[in-house]
Amino acid sequence: MSDEKDYLLISQLTQAGYCLRRAALIMNEQIWKESADTAKGRMDHRRVHTQRVERRGEDIKLYEYTVFSDSLGIMGKCDCIEATADEDGCTIPSVEFPLRLYPIEYKHGKVRAEEEYELQLCAQAMCLEEMYHTTIAEGALFYTSSHRRYPVLLTEELRDKVCHLIVKLRDIRDKMITPVADYSTKCKRCSLREICMPEVGHSAKEYCKDLEMAAKGEGEV
């Protein structure tokens, strides 16, 4: 693996999938604030985040497994990888037979479609594919509150989104950019809302738009 300092963390990619401004505040300005949801999620992850291997015959579970991609310049950890014997699978260290890999990411709350989590899972799978010269068509999000899995197909569209997001995030990091908030319903759930003040940025943009329209004789300020 190349110099780790140049790598983006997959967790940063997840934040960017939710909001680029949030990712920049955390990554560039080292700003963080806990909420009830993030605290609960962190506690749930502690139950999983013990690096270990569980093996039952030809079924293996790898917990807190480090993954990376030199081509994408990202690294992180998978909560869990289910590895099942498959003659068309890949070979990983310390296992003498080929395996099919199935990454699983643990999340707090009820089952729901959240693109930033799907992007995170896809990025992990892309790392595994590069590391072990294999193909992973699907993974899953496991929601701890409902004890249910949400299968995620790792489509070409999702993979393209991961690649595009990596480019955006690297540009934000390297140029120390903090994007203006894109105010939406997501802002109401964000633990950084009071620090970010997305409504201010939204109001400023609307005010500038009104000024522009007034200058053109199309409206009033």
Side-chain angles (χ1 to χ4, degrees):
M1 191 169 70
S2 304
D3 187 355
E4 291 185 13
K5 293 181 180 179
D6 292 331
Y7 281 64
L8 292 171
L9 299 178
I10 294 176
S11 59
Q12 295 169 338
L13 195 67
T14 311
Q15 298 292 349
Y18 187 83
C19 170
L20 287 171
R21 179 175 173 81
R22 177 182 170 90
L25 290 172
I26 295 171
M27 181 172 59
N28 291 344
E29 302 186 34
Q30 304 296 302
I31 292 173
W32 175 249
K33 184 179 180 181
E34 194 90 283
S35 68
D37 283 340
T38 59
K40 183 63 169 63
R42 180 168 49 79
M43 293 301 295
D44 285 346
H45 270 75
R46 280 185 179 178
R47 300 189 187 103
V48 180
H49 282 183
T50 302
Q51 191 172 35
R52 65 191 189 277
V53 177
E54 294 181 359
R55 182 166 178 172
R56 295 182 180 178
E58 294 186 341
D59 292 330
I60 301 170
K61 288 185 178 180
L62 309 166
Y63 290 94
E64 190 72 352
Y65 198 81
T66 300
V67 297
F68 63 90
S69 166
D70 288 331
S71 64
L72 295 174
I74 58 174
M75 62 183 297
K77 290 187 177 181
C78 292
D79 284 345
C80 178
I81 302 169
E82 289 185 346
T84 308
D86 188 326
E87 61 181 11
D88 296 323
C90 62
T91 302
I92 68 172
S94 304
V95 179
E96 64 276 11
F97 50 85
L99 299 162
R100 174 174 53 84
L101 304 181
Y102 192 90
I104 301 171
E105 185 67 17
Y106 286 71
K107 296 299 177 186
H108 166 63
K110 298 180 180 179
V111 176
R112 61 196 186 277
E114 298 281 4
E115 187 177 63
E116 66 269 21
Y117 296 159
E118 296 181 15
L119 291 167
Q120 178 184 14
L121 185 69
C122 187
Q124 293 169 353
M126 292 167 76
C127 288
L128 287 168
E129 288 176 333
E130 184 175 319
M131 290 168 64
Y132 298 121
H133 309 288
T134 189
T135 301
I136 301 173
E138 183 182 303
L141 302 172
F142 181 81
Y143 286 89
T144 55
S145 297
S146 56
H147 299 282
R148 288 179 56 195
R149 285 189 181 187
Y150 179 82
V152 178
L153 294 177
L154 307 177
T155 63
E156 287 303 318
E157 180 183 5
L158 190 59
R159 293 166 185 268
D160 286 343
K161 286 182 178 180
V162 169
C163 294
H164 291 152
L165 194 57
I166 289 171
V167 172
K168 287 182 179 179
L169 189 58
R170 183 167 285 113
D171 191 53
I172 286 173
R173 183 197 64 182
D174 294 347
K175 296 179 181 178
M176 292 296 290
I177 298 169
T178 300
V180 175
D182 184 10
Y183 186 65
S184 70
T185 55
K186 286 184 177 182
C187 298
K188 297 178 181 179
R189 306 195 306 268
C190 181
S191 63
L192 300 184
R193 180 176 178 176
E194 291 182 4
I195 300 169
C196 172
M197 297 188 293
E199 299 94 334
V200 173
H202 182 72
S203 299
K205 284 191 290 185
E206 290 298 316
Y207 181 67
C208 290
K209 184 177 179 181
D210 290 342
L211 282 176
E212 182 181 358
M213 292 180 66
K216 294 178 180 179
E218 299 175 3
E220 297 181 358
V221 179

